[in-house]
Amino acid sequence: MRKLWKLFALLLAFTLVAAACGNDDDDSSEPAPSAPTEAAAPATEAPAPTEAVEVDPTQGCDHTYHVITHGDSGTFWSVVEVAVRDAAAAIGCDVVYFGSNNDALRQAQEIEAAIAAGSSGIAISLADPAGVQSAAEAVVAAGIPLYTLNSGVNNYKALGATTHIGQTETVAGNGAGERFNALGATHVLCARQEQTNVALEERCNGLAETFNGQVTSEFVGLDATPDEQQNNIAARLQGDPTIDAVLGVGPNLPLRALAAGEQAGRELIIGGFDLSSDLIDQIEQGNVAFTVDQQQYLQGYLPVILMHLQATNLNTAGGGLPILTGPGFVDTANAADVKALVSQGTR
């Protein structure tokens, strides 16, 4: 087991160095990002907050770590949970995961409970920075290492977090804009599934920065109400015949856009964010042009490993910069390979 851990540590170190060397972007001008709370196969009702789940250790460990997010247990966040469990098994420690389903009050309460429990490290997402700021500051005040993941790239330094693990949302939106330019789009509807998630707004803003045509950013309904999303997109298409493309800033909205285009009798260029089996199927069939991949498995795995290294060996990573996990892109060229990993629950 010791040899395997040493090999793993070497591999992790190489990965972190490579990521840091490849990051020359200064995103300090961006507003606070947050990542998407996406659910593949949306339910008819909003999912309840994910209850805290303690991961059983595989060997003795005197530390307990907490990963407390705004996520649900849908397509995106279920991969993060798998990654947290895998990381817990690798270090042999208890790791408690909690997803608040965009309830900042619940998230803040769970952060405060982790402080009271004497956590050795707390990793949080910052979809609603104002809603959890006080709790996050309390983590640092208690002398507990704080990490941010998924959302928080512009806020983690001010809060005193060690580093941030995620993607730069504006840069991801920039890449989507360049893709739509190459595909010949002229007017993109940037469809958002949450009203208060600043990261989704950043994705649309980033799209507008690089796209040569017009961008309309609009909240079209929650993932828990897919029919509402489809109908709202269809109504927008019927009301503005110049819209010839849709960017869904999550993995479900591209599918709703596809159905809305058929409903409105329109052919669209469609792009998305994040991954689901259904979305990749549509990319393989040529119905969706691309999706932006932020590799959320890394966003669950790396914070646990980094918190453990800081607690046991006083290691810190990032060097004052975020550790970027994206953006990458999935299109027809690599969809089949990525699809196989999605079915395994790690992408």
Side-chain angles (χ1 to χ4, degrees), residues 170-185 188 203-213 215 247 273 290 292 329:
T170 300
V171 173
N174 290 163
E178 292 166 355
R179 291 244 168 179
F180 279 118
N181 287 336
L183 292 166
V188 179
R203 293 175 177 184
C204 292
N205 292 339
L207 166 70
E209 286 181 0
T210 58
F211 182 57
N212 295 331
V215 172
L247 176 64
F273 269 78
F290 66 88
V292 182
F329 290 87

Side-chain angles (χ1 to χ4, degrees), residues 24-265:
D24 294 325
D25 296 313
D26 180 3
D27 51 43
S28 58
S29 62
E30 296 179 21
S34 176
T37 304
E38 299 93 309
T44 56
E45 298 181 359
T50 303
E51 294 303 324
V53 177
E54 185 171 334
V55 181
D56 293 331
T58 58
Q59 61 192 46
C61 178
D62 296 330
H63 297 279
T64 297
Y65 305 99
H66 292 76
V67 178
I68 303 169
T69 77
H70 68 280
D72 56 21
S73 292
T75 301
F76 183 91
W77 288 101
S78 62
V79 175
V80 176
E81 291 184 52
V82 168
V84 169
R85 285 166 171 76
D86 287 352
I91 63 175
C93 296
D94 288 331
V95 181
V96 178
Y97 177 86
F98 180 85
S100 68
N101 192 34
N102 287 305
D103 186 333
L105 177 60
R106 289 289 305 274
Q107 187 180 7
Q109 290 172 339
E110 197 68 18
I111 294 170
E112 292 165 354
I115 296 171
S119 180
S120 293
I122 300 175
I124 65 173
S125 61
L126 289 175
D128 186 348
V132 299
Q133 178 176 341
S134 294
E137 290 173 343
V139 174
V140 177
I144 300 172
L146 176 68
Y147 286 74
T148 60
L149 67 117
N150 182 263
S151 52
V153 69
N154 301 295
N155 302 80
Y156 77 95
K157 288 184 180 181
L159 291 175
T162 303
T163 193
H164 173 80
I165 299 95
Q167 77 175 359
T168 303
E169 303 296 349
T170 300
V171 173
N174 290 163
E178 292 166 355
R179 291 244 168 179
F180 279 118
N181 287 336
L183 292 166
T186 60
H187 185 175
V188 179
L189 170 63
C190 193
R192 296 179 283 109
Q193 74 272 25
E194 296 168 20
Q195 285 182 299
T196 60
N197 190 327
V198 293
L200 305 187
E201 296 176 3
E202 287 186 3
R203 293 175 177 184
C204 292
N205 292 339
L207 166 70
E209 286 181 0
T210 58
F211 182 57
N212 295 331
Q214 181 178 351
V215 172
T216 299
S217 176
E218 187 170 309
F219 169 68
V220 296
L222 299 171
D223 278 340
T225 57
D227 290 342
E228 178 185 2
Q229 288 182 337
Q230 177 181 329
N231 290 334
N232 284 340
I233 295 173
R236 201 72 175 88
L237 295 175
Q238 291 165 343
D240 189 341
T242 68
I243 296 174
D244 57 1
V246 176
L247 176 64
V249 290
N252 296 316
L253 282 172
L255 306 177
R256 306 292 87 80
L258 188 61
E262 295 176 355
Q263 180 179 334

